Amino acid sequence: MGQALNVLGVGSESLLKRRSLLDSQWNRFVSGVSAGAPLPVRDDIVSSWQRSAQYTQPRHGSAPADDLYVTQQMWKDSILSQAVQREQEQITQLAKEGELVAGIADTQGRLLWTLASRHMRSRAESVNFTAGGWWDERSVGTNAVGLSLNLKRPVTVFSSEHYQPFVHDWVCYAAPILHPQSGELVGVLDMSTTWRRHTPLGQAAVTEIARSIAQGLPQSLPKAELEIYALGQARVIFRGKALHLPLRQVEILALLALNPQGLSLEGLHAALYGEQSVSLSTLKAELSHLRRILDGQIGSRPYRLQISVWADFVQVWQALHHNQTSSAFSLYQGSLLVQSNSPELEEWRHCIDAVMDKALGSCEDPTLLMDKLCKSTGGSELVRERLAELVDKPKW
């Protein structure tokens, strides 16, 4: 396939004409000359340019980038890492023969892994198309990674279709990696080279490999980078791996999940300890330990989680609030952290239990109750009582 990409390229004269036209239209757009007038450019590119103009300005330079060590750890823990291993030989061969740089981005547009041919290595490094580089639209405007994430379909971005001048010499092919069972977006595969090497076969090859990567994904996906189960038996999963945490640290994570806007040190102390005579330095030490466990993903001033979070107690409360009884029953495995004496968590525990009791008491569906009874021990006594009431209820 790599040889085919080289041999069956587009004629240089045709590419030059296309680039010249795009250069002209890009200049019209960024200068404001085209305001209100239609551009002879693809609709998805124009829409992306319009979004990009709200986020960033055209500049010479590179994409923003995260710390390489942290990114490498994220890649190691990512479900994509295992799936890509099966296709790595093919990607390596394609990159070498097609003189490409390949990259895998997460759902935020951050590159977790790249592999470059000699032709593209220095070019990729100069613009941070490397592990840790951010290629979402908000960071660098129109590009194949960001556009594929936005549209959730394969895209090609050629030369000056890119919003930033520092990638106008590139052509990039990207395809979303979609979970084969759920259809959920897991990441994006991108393969890029210089614009004169553009070939229509590039997009087809990348789309095919992205599908192959998706086939190697585990059958069930993590709900978020951090999953907190605190109804009944407490457990915490970080990037697909179970963490063995003491109750106090689970309490801190639960409080941060309940306060996504963040908490001051004093606010978190009050929510966690109440009137207990525990020093602020003790809480700081707990937070420092948790930050190390979560690869630094706890911010400060205010203290907040900086990764995607899913928590069963948040989900059950939302389900109850929207009268989604079936969802609430499946989520509720027992009271919220029954051993916790955190004032805020105690309040949440009582609220969830009270609303759950009310939902059970008003449930008129024996099948739903039986399903709940069979799948969980949480609240089983209440479920049995309600079932007994329905069985004994006179039928008129």
Side-chain angles (χ1 to χ4, degrees):
M1 190 172 294
Q3 291 174 340
L5 288 181
N6 274 331
V7 173
L8 298 178
V10 179
S12 58
E13 188 177 334
S14 172
L15 288 178
L16 191 60
K17 188 180 295 185
R18 181 177 174 186
R19 163 132 199 199
S20 178
L21 175 64
L22 284 170
D23 283 345
S24 171
Q25 299 311 315
W26 180 85
N27 280 308
R28 283 182 61 202
F29 180 84
V30 297
S31 65
V33 172
S34 65
L39 288 169
V41 180
R42 285 172 17 215
D43 288 345
D44 58 347
I45 296 295
V46 173
S47 295
S48 181
W49 282 356
Q50 291 167 344
R51 291 191 299 272
S52 301
Q54 300 172 36
Y55 309 141
T56 184
Q57 293 300 313
R59 65 184 189 273
H60 294 281
S62 59
D66 281 350
D67 179 77
L68 178 59
Y69 174 77
V70 172
T71 307
Q72 286 173 335
Q73 288 299 115
M74 291 178 66
W75 174 244
K76 181 181 173 184
D77 295 334
S78 168
I79 59 168
L80 283 166
S81 179
Q82 293 275 334
V84 168
Q85 281 183 13
R86 297 173 49 197
E87 306 302 323
Q88 194 160 339
E89 186 177 339
Q90 184 182 3
I91 293 172
T92 302
Q93 182 182 358
L94 191 59
K96 183 180 178 181
E97 294 178 356
E99 301 197 331
L100 300 151
V101 55
I104 301 284
D106 63 14
T107 55
Q108 280 76 51
R110 171 178 43 206
L111 291 174
L112 299 180
W113 173 86
T114 61
L115 185 150
S117 67
R118 186 163 49 185
H119 173 71
M120 290 299 294
R121 187 171 296 117
S122 62
R123 291 176 172 86
E125 290 171 353
S126 70
V127 298
N128 282 337
F129 195 88
T130 51
W134 282 89
W135 289 83
D136 57 304
E137 282 191 346
R138 284 185 175 272
S139 297
V140 292
T142 308
N143 72 93
V145 170
L147 192 56
S148 187
L149 282 173
N150 190 285
L151 301 178
K152 294 182 176 58
R153 63 172 173 79
V155 296
T156 298
V157 178
F158 175 80
S159 182
S160 303
E161 289 177 337
H162 290 93
Y163 190 70
Q164 294 295 351
F166 58 77
V167 274
H168 279 188
D169 285 340
W170 289 39
V171 58
C172 306
Y173 316 101
I177 301 168
L178 304 173
H179 193 271
Q181 276 77 43
S182 67
E184 185 177 344
L185 179 68
V186 177
V188 167
L189 169 66
D190 179 285
M191 299 191 82
S192 305
T193 188
T194 44
W195 65 278
R196 290 182 182 276
R197 297 176 181 277
H198 169 55
T199 165
L201 294 178
Q203 187 62 73
V206 171
T207 301
E208 179 187 330
I209 296 172
R211 286 187 185 131
S212 296
I213 291 171
Q215 294 299 320
L217 292 169
Q219 286 200 338
S220 60
L221 292 174
K223 298 176 176 68
E225 284 186 86
L226 181 67
E227 300 174 67
I228 307 170
Y229 296 84
L231 297 173
Q233 181 85 26
R235 58 194 175 99
V236 176
I237 299 173
F238 177 54
R239 293 175 181 162
K241 295 183 178 178
L243 300 179
H244 302 289
L245 303 178
L247 174 63
R248 187 64 78 205
Q249 291 177 5
V250 177
E251 290 175 312
I252 292 171
L253 291 178
L255 289 168
L256 294 177
L258 287 166
N259 296 276
Q261 77 285 355
L263 289 166
S264 67
L265 183 64
E266 294 76 14
L268 181 55
H269 187 280
L272 182 61
Y273 299 112
E275 299 299 320
Q276 295 179 59
S277 56
V278 180
S279 67
L280 290 174
S281 60
T282 298
L283 177 55
K284 278 186 176 180
E286 294 279 15
L287 285 162
S288 294
H289 185 62
L290 265 177
R291 186 181 283 114
R292 285 194 297 272
I293 292 171
L294 298 181
D295 285 344
Q297 297 299 316
I298 297 180
S300 57
R301 299 180 186 175
Y303 288 97
R304 66 203 181 281
L305 291 166
Q306 296 177 310
I307 46 178
S308 58
V309 184
W310 182 95
D312 58 356
F313 48 94
V314 174
Q315 296 297 316
V316 80
W317 183 255
Q318 291 177 351
L320 289 167
H321 181 70
H322 292 99
N323 295 317
Q324 295 169 344
T325 309
S326 179
S327 295
F329 282 8
S330 66
L331 286 163
Y332 187 79
Q333 303 297 313
S335 294
L336 172 64
L337 294 176
V338 290
Q339 294 178 312
S340 173
N341 55 11
S342 152
E344 184 167 331
L345 293 177
E346 282 187 331
E347 187 175 342
W348 272 102
R349 183 193 307 143
H350 296 321
C351 286
I352 291 172
D353 285 352
V355 180
M356 196 70 198
D357 288 353
K358 186 177 178 181
L360 283 168
S362 60
C363 181
E364 298 286 337
D365 186 348
T367 305
L368 200 60
L369 291 169
M370 281 299 298
D371 186 59
K372 170 65 180 168
L373 192 60
C374 292
K375 289 184 179 177
S376 168
T377 57
S380 57
E381 196 58 42
L382 290 169
V383 176
R384 287 191 182 91
E385 289 175 7
R386 182 59 186 152
L387 270 171
E389 288 174 9
L390 290 176
V391 170
D392 294 340
K393 192 175 181 180
K395 298 177 175 59
W396 305 101

